[in-house]
Amino acid sequence: MSVSVFTELNIENDIDNEYHLLCFVITPEPVVESSVQQKVIDFLQVGGPVVWILIGFSVIALTIVLLKLWQLSSLRAESRKTVDQALVAWRKKEGEQALELLDEKRPIDFLVGFSMRSLQAGNMDVSLIREEVERLAMNQLNQLRSYLRPLEIIASLSPLLGLLGTVLGMITAFQQMQGAGNQVDPSVLSGGIWQALLTTAVGLAVAIPVVTLHSWLERKIERIAHNINDAVTQVFTSKEAERLVAKAAKEVLHAA
């Protein structure tokens, strides 16, 4: 009888120990999560309104970058594959085939297609066609450059806001020292200084990637503008364009 009781007690103790061990293994995860959340909350409270503004700037900048990436990828604005094929057909005096090869949802293809059709129609002077193509190209590039100005503003303002937060934090730290009088605690000054410098660090952390992404997007649009200029110029300087212009001039003379 005593042996069975001892066995039961040992089983209960083993179960109890396993339960406590299991609780010990499982509980750290929510503790870690709560500690991280608390650190984030403390970080935002220490930084003050300047850090909140900078976080808002970072969210806006990220949204704009994702929007521009979606726009450029959906338009495939830098792709020249179909344009190059169409230009080859255009030089071979195969105007209709060249137009069929173009995907005019893309900015370059649209402008090249407009130039080819205008030359084939022969109802406008070449200089007027060039001016109209230039106007349409400017409209296309303005659409691609949309929302880049806010990125530039965020990149410029973020370090300045960080510096403003630092100055305000230093003012607060020295006010606390003045209020303490002769009983100045060095920890008050050091704590105020690192809290003030925190805003500068956040401002730089927002500005550096925004400047990089803005420059990268600007470079992509400059490349698109170069491709547009190059492709449209090839349309007008080809022998097919000269032939169509001469044909249109003859038709005007005959009509006169």
Side-chain angles (χ1 to χ4, degrees):
M1 186 71 178
S2 61
V3 174
S4 63
V5 171
F6 180 74
T7 304
E8 289 177 0
L9 287 173
N10 282 339
I11 292 171
E12 289 178 359
N13 288 333
D14 290 340
I15 294 171
D16 218 13
N17 289 334
E18 289 178 1
Y19 173 75
H20 287 301
L21 181 62
L22 187 62
C23 290
F24 178 75
V25 171
I26 293 175
T27 51
E29 186 176 354
V31 171
V32 171
E33 290 179 358
S34 62
S35 64
V36 171
Q37 292 175 356
Q38 187 61 41
K39 286 181 180 179
V40 172
I41 293 171
D42 293 340
F43 173 80
L44 295 175
Q45 289 177 347
V46 168
V50 174
V51 171
W52 284 100
I53 295 171
L54 290 171
I55 290 174
F57 277 1
S58 65
V59 172
I60 294 170
L62 179 61
T63 304
I64 292 173
V65 170
L66 293 176
L67 178 64
K68 298 306 295 181
L69 290 176
W70 175 81
Q71 182 187 27
L72 293 173
S73 62
S74 62
L75 291 175
R76 298 182 64 187
E78 289 183 279
S79 177
R80 286 197 53 164
K81 183 178 179 180
T82 54
V83 169
D84 291 337
Q85 293 174 352
L87 289 173
V88 171
W90 177 256
R91 294 188 196 99
K92 293 179 180 178
K93 300 180 181 181
E94 299 173 353
E96 295 301 325
Q97 184 180 354
L99 290 171
E100 290 176 0
L101 290 170
L102 293 172
D103 181 5
E104 298 198 22
K105 293 180 181 178
R106 304 175 187 176
I108 302 176
D109 294 46
F110 169 73
L111 293 167
V112 169
F114 177 83
S115 303
M116 290 178 179
R117 280 193 298 272
S118 299
L119 288 170
Q120 287 176 341
N123 54 5
M124 289 178 65
D125 188 69
V126 177
S127 60
L128 294 177
I129 296 173
R130 285 179 176 273
E131 289 182 8
E132 182 64 15
V133 171
E134 185 178 353
R135 184 187 69 82
L136 293 173
M138 291 299 296
N139 289 338
Q140 294 282 345
L141 291 174
N142 282 334
Q143 289 179 2
L144 293 173
R145 288 194 180 101
S146 60
Y147 300 112
L148 289 185
R149 185 63 178 169
L151 272 185
E152 185 179 356
I153 293 172
I154 289 172
S156 301
L157 285 182
S158 295
L160 296 177
L161 279 172
L163 182 60
L164 174 63
T166 298
V167 172
L168 293 176
M170 294 292 288
I171 291 173
T172 302
F174 282 110
Q175 282 180 341
Q176 291 176 352
M177 287 184 61
Q178 183 182 8
N182 294 329
Q183 299 177 350
V184 177
D185 187 359
S187 62
V188 174
L189 180 61
S190 60
I193 291 173
W194 83 260
Q195 290 176 6
L197 293 176
L198 178 64
T199 58
T200 299
V202 175
L204 292 174
V206 173
I208 291 171
V210 172
V211 169
T212 304
L213 291 169
H214 178 266
S215 300
W216 178 66
L217 290 171
E218 280 280 6
R219 178 56 188 152
K220 289 179 79 69
I221 294 171
E222 287 175 4
R223 194 179 298 116
I224 293 167
H226 169 75
N227 290 340
I228 289 173
N229 183 55
D230 179 66
V232 171
T233 302
Q234 289 185 54
V235 173
F236 283 98
T237 56
S238 64
K239 291 183 178 179
E240 175 65 6
E242 293 178 3
R243 186 185 70 82
L244 291 171
V245 170
K247 180 182 176 182
K250 287 179 181 179
E251 289 178 355
V252 171
L253 288 174
H254 285 305

